[in-house]
Amino acid sequence: MATETVIKVRDVAMGFGSRTLFKDVSFDVARGEVFVILGGSGCGKSTLLKLMVGLYQPTAGTIELLGIDGINPDRGERLRLLRSLGVMWQSGALFGSMTLLENVMLPLEAHTALPRPAREQVARVKLGLVGLSDAADRLPAEISGGMAKRAGIARAMALDPPLLFLDEPSAGLDPITSAGLDKLIKDLAHDLGTTFVVVTHELQSILAIGDRCIMLDKQAQGMIAEGDPRRLRDEATHPTVRAFFRREAEPA
Ligand SMILES: Nc1ncnc2c1ncn2[C@@H]1O[C@H](COP(=O)(O)OP(=O)(O)O)[C@@H](O)[C@H]1O
Ligand SMILES: [Mg+2]
């Protein structure tokens, strides 16, 4: 089957002030793929996600999303991109004073002219997709961490974006809840053809859901690995990559 490239990142560099975080970052993401960004704390994973969704401008390189220049889109393209991207940030905050249903309805209010009953119906469908039909009228404080993450994904999916970006979706979740979330991501990619870019540290999760991954490294100021995570686990020779995938102590 022919693969369609939906994200094209070329020679991207980023830093804050005089400090270079990473450079020469290049990769493609294909439609329907679960693409994972790995790396230690502070290596720039969240920053790379923000570059990809247009929140930051890179110091060098190009980023193309759905054939659109993600760095300098014109007005019409920017709007198209905004509607095509769903994002769940690391902090993942839901609005505490709103029910889950109202939280998921928010992007529909901002980006569509749908009347309220239609917005509500769409939001209920999204909550159903993540297994939260029965919790639609609950407040964020009344649900578990795993449910809150799922509600965050439902909100990110409100506009049926072809691209979903998730920053550490399973952080802070117990292994069973985390496995449930992995299954959800895998199913959505498979059933809806949604493309996922997921930042995660969790090795189990990477091996379970990742079709392809890259690993960033702070010291190397860039990518130290790219490929199928299972192959990297079995074949990587870079000491940091090996250590991560095999959970060995890194040589000093
Ligand atoms: N807006 C910003 N201004 C200055 N420094 C930043 C900013 N955002 C991130 N950083 C710094 O860049 C580095 C990488 O951050 P981040 O991308 O959040 O890492 P990761 O998600 O891999 O843990 C950190 O040292 C962080 O303090
Ligand atoms: Mg981060």
Side-chain angles (χ1 to χ4, degrees):
M1 200 178 77
T3 57
E4 181 192 349
T5 300
V6 287
I7 302 175
K8 205 182 275 186
V9 173
R10 288 291 176 278
D11 307 315
V12 162
M14 185 60 180
F16 295 103
S18 60
R19 178 168 153 241
T20 299
L21 201 50
F22 49 72
K23 52 186 183 329
D24 304 324
V25 171
S26 299
F27 57 87
D28 285 347
V29 182
R31 183 177 299 282
E33 194 166 49
V34 178
F35 187 85
V36 176
I37 300 174
L38 305 173
S41 185
C43 67
K45 302 178 299 297
S46 295
T47 301
L48 179 57
L49 223 53
K50 287 174 187 163
L51 288 170
M52 292 169 83
V53 303
L55 279 182
Y56 293 154
Q57 296 263 329
T59 48
T62 59
I63 297 172
E64 205 179 282
L65 304 171
L66 305 168
I68 298 173
D69 175 359
I71 299 174
N72 288 304
D74 66 36
R75 269 181 69 92
E77 290 172 337
R78 186 181 300 279
L79 204 61
R80 213 187 114 205
L81 276 182
L82 271 176
R83 290 167 182 238
S84 305
L85 309 176
V87 188
M88 190 184 79
W89 295 113
Q90 199 165 356
S91 52
L94 299 166
F95 288 96
S97 61
M98 297 180 179
T99 66
L100 301 191
L101 184 70
E102 288 164 345
N103 266 280
V104 178
M105 285 169 66
L106 274 180
L108 297 159
E109 268 165 49
H111 289 283
T112 73
L114 291 176
R116 187 179 164 97
R119 294 201 303 266
E120 190 173 318
Q121 198 180 355
V122 172
R124 285 193 189 280
V125 169
K126 303 305 174 195
L127 284 171
L129 274 178
V130 300
L132 289 176
S133 292
D134 295 338
D137 299 321
R138 297 224 228 151
L139 291 168
E142 301 167 342
I143 60 173
S144 68
M147 289 166 83
K149 296 282 181 165
R150 283 188 280 148
I153 293 176
R155 187 172 64 186
M157 293 195 315
L159 298 167
D160 288 320
L163 307 177
L164 271 177
F165 296 81
L166 310 178
D167 198 354
E168 304 209 13
S170 50
L173 300 183
D174 65 81
I176 293 175
T177 310
S178 171
L181 201 59
D182 286 345
K183 185 174 176 336
L184 172 67
I185 293 168
K186 197 85 197 146
D187 288 350
L188 292 173
H190 196 262
D191 300 344
L192 304 179
T194 304
T195 306
F196 282 85
V197 178
V198 184
V199 172
T200 178
H201 291 290
E202 322 270 334
L203 187 54
Q204 284 314 316
S205 176
I206 295 151
L207 295 169
I209 65 173
D211 293 310
R212 242 147 37 76
C213 68
I214 58 167
M215 188 165 189
L216 296 178
D217 185 69
K218 203 169 177 172
Q219 244 183 333
Q221 296 187 328
M223 285 165 56
I224 53 171
E226 175 180 15
D228 178 334
R230 287 151 295 271
R231 276 190 77 147
L232 289 174
R233 176 194 57 195
D234 298 338
E235 297 169 13
T237 52
H238 189 295
T240 309
V241 182
R242 272 181 72 97
F244 177 80
F245 278 100
R246 302 191 179 183
R247 290 294 147 94
E248 293 163 358
E250 235 180 303

